[in-house]
Amino acid sequence: MNFDAIPRSALPALLRRMPKAELHMHIEGSLEPELIFALAQRNGVKLPYASEEALRRAYAFTDLQSFLDIYYAGASVLLKEQDFFDMAFAYLARAADDNVVHAEIFFDPQTHTERGVPIETVIVGLSHAMRRAHAELGISSALILCFLRHLSEEAALATLEQALPYRHQFIGVGLDSSERGHPPEKFARVFARARELGLHVVAHAGEEGPPAYIEAALDVLKVQRIDHGVRCVESPALVQRLARERVPLTVCPLSNVKLCVFESMARHNLPALLDAGLVATVNSDDPAYFGGYVNDNFVAAFEALPQLGASQAWQLARNSFDASFADESHKARWRAALDATFSEVARVSR
Ligand code: ADE
Ligand code: ZN
């Protein structure tokens, strides 16, 4: 669709108002410093930071690993079902405010089970918040269980088996944590098992890792979406394949700048990905750590990149619905609402 008649001045409001799906966010990455300190106090957990301000000052990351070290320290305050409920409800309320109509949420059970928190506590707490948010705020959501790639495949297989009593409470599996040195092939068996169980499969690839990791995620893990994937542009043949096979990329602009994947937002390759015909989407990754939720990501990218206008905004929101694992009937409703929003804004811009 072409909405080039909509002026740039209308973009920030339009980006905020348009309905969208969020497909790449780690629920543990939505823990704001205020909630981290409140939960630490409630649970008697000692943090290696004196105050919320001191914690925020530590958010000066140089690469993925420098972030992950702080992210796992933050998650250490999560112990009880109520903690998982509070975290997820806070995110869902914030997302609903950004006109996110559907969220597919990553969670990292191993970050919690390794500290002695039962997987049941994690899944039940998160699911309760998701049901409450649907009933009270109208936002739909689903869980994707991620394996930590710095741990072994045996540990991932054991985690999947532990999660099976709650099989109906998550829709898929993913792969996250330290990418370099942990190629997708390491998790071939656990992904095969997940596919056998009828789960959706996605993986982080091509955030810091090379295009070969994206190819291995597709060929060995047989993933349906690539999380990040921005380094695909280093292989023109891979870009052509991703476009031809319509493999979605869940791109996270503020995350990429914070973790120094790109030097600045003005250097981000989101416009190039869209120009190549890829099913790119915009997401927040770890919103509490990277300077904003999904609308902040849209606004920052569109402000810094003059190639992005109203037509690209429509395409990105449309891609988020096309790439989601929701039912076709829901997708049809969201697509119609998206088109109605853009038609209305185009009409008043004339
Ligand atoms: N876990 C949380 N955020 C992540 C990211 N951006 N990459 C890999 N693992 C993560
Ligand atoms: Zn991520």
Side-chain angles (χ1 to χ4, degrees):
M1 300 265 254
N2 189 317
F3 293 103
D4 292 342
I6 298 176
R8 286 200 77 72
S9 58
L11 278 179
L14 176 58
L15 291 165
R16 293 184 184 281
R17 175 177 160 194
M18 66 183 189
K20 54 188 74 75
E22 177 152 56
L23 306 178
H24 182 164
M25 71 83 54
H26 304 260
I27 198 64
E28 294 88 350
S30 73
L31 268 181
E32 295 286 348
E34 293 71 21
L35 189 54
I36 291 179
F37 272 79
L39 294 180
Q41 185 160 38
R42 187 157 98 190
N43 290 330
V45 174
K46 182 119 185 62
L47 288 168
Y49 302 93
S51 65
E52 289 156 26
E53 297 69 45
L55 177 57
R56 266 190 214 283
R57 275 198 298 277
Y59 294 0
F61 312 118
T62 50
D63 60 6
L64 176 58
Q65 194 59 51
S66 66
F67 154 69
L68 290 170
D69 294 341
I70 292 182
Y71 163 84
Y72 294 127
S76 70
V77 300
L78 295 160
L79 293 179
K80 304 274 175 8
E81 209 175 285
Q82 184 70 40
D83 307 337
F84 291 92
F85 174 92
D86 290 347
M87 170 174 68
F89 196 81
Y91 161 70
L92 287 162
R94 188 65 184 68
D97 213 41
D98 276 3
N99 294 308
V100 171
V101 295
H102 176 70
E104 292 176 9
I105 297 175
F106 294 141
F107 71 112
D108 288 342
Q110 288 160 294
T111 299
H112 314 298
T113 52
E114 286 215 319
R115 297 179 292 112
V117 177
I119 198 164
E120 177 186 10
T121 300
V122 180
I123 296 180
V124 171
L126 296 175
S127 300
H128 181 192
M130 292 160 63
R131 274 197 308 280
R132 174 83 67 88
H134 188 236
E136 293 184 3
L137 310 170
I139 182 170
S140 83
S141 57
L143 287 174
I144 296 178
L145 182 160
C146 282
F147 304 116
L148 298 181
R149 68 200 304 160
H150 67 273
L151 301 178
S152 68
E153 186 179 45
E154 283 63 38
L157 281 161
T159 300
L160 183 56
E161 294 309 313
Q162 272 173 34
L164 284 189
Y166 313 96
R167 162 70 185 85
H168 55 289
Q169 280 165 274
F170 58 100
I171 60 163
V173 300
L175 187 62
D176 65 4
S177 190
S178 322
E179 186 181 5
R180 283 203 200 107
H182 301 284
E185 292 90 325
K186 181 177 160 187
F187 296 93
R189 287 180 306 151
V190 72
F191 270 69
R193 173 90 178 111
R195 293 196 312 272
E196 250 171 44
L197 289 163
L199 288 158
H200 290 292
V201 286
V202 300
H204 283 54
E207 177 185 18
E208 286 190 341
Y213 281 23
I214 300 175
E215 284 164 351
L218 294 172
D219 294 333
V220 180
L221 305 186
K222 304 192 190 307
V223 298
Q224 297 162 278
R225 297 196 296 243
I226 296 285
D227 296 312
H228 293 295
V230 290
R231 285 193 60 191
C232 69
V233 296
E234 294 167 34
S235 165
L238 176 58
V239 171
Q240 278 181 13
R241 175 184 180 184
L242 293 167
R244 193 174 58 244
E245 297 180 8
R246 284 189 58 77
V247 179
L249 301 188
T250 61
V251 177
C252 306
L254 284 171
S255 164
N256 292 155
V257 175
K258 277 280 184 184
L259 301 187
C260 309
V261 173
F262 295 97
E263 194 174 281
S264 66
M265 192 61 90
R267 297 279 184 93
H268 201 287
N269 66 9
L270 180 59
L273 300 175
L274 289 173
D275 272 355
L278 300 187
V279 186
T281 64
V282 166
N283 308 271
S284 68
D285 207 3
D286 300 283
Y289 292 91
F290 297 149
Y293 288 76
V294 70
N295 282 354
D296 301 311
N297 275 271
F298 272 105
V299 170
F302 277 67
E303 248 169 34
L305 296 159
Q307 310 94 309
L308 299 178
S311 300
Q312 287 74 23
W314 178 86
Q315 188 69 59
L316 287 162
R318 169 66 190 235
N319 289 349
S320 76
F321 299 134
D322 291 354
S324 91
F325 295 133
D327 292 347
E328 274 308 319
S329 61
H330 289 104
K331 293 191 189 194
R333 198 150 37 84
W334 298 328
R335 288 177 185 129
L338 174 67
D339 291 353
T341 301
F342 272 73
S343 299
E344 153 81 7
V345 172
R347 191 176 56 74
V348 301
S349 301
R350 272 205 294 271

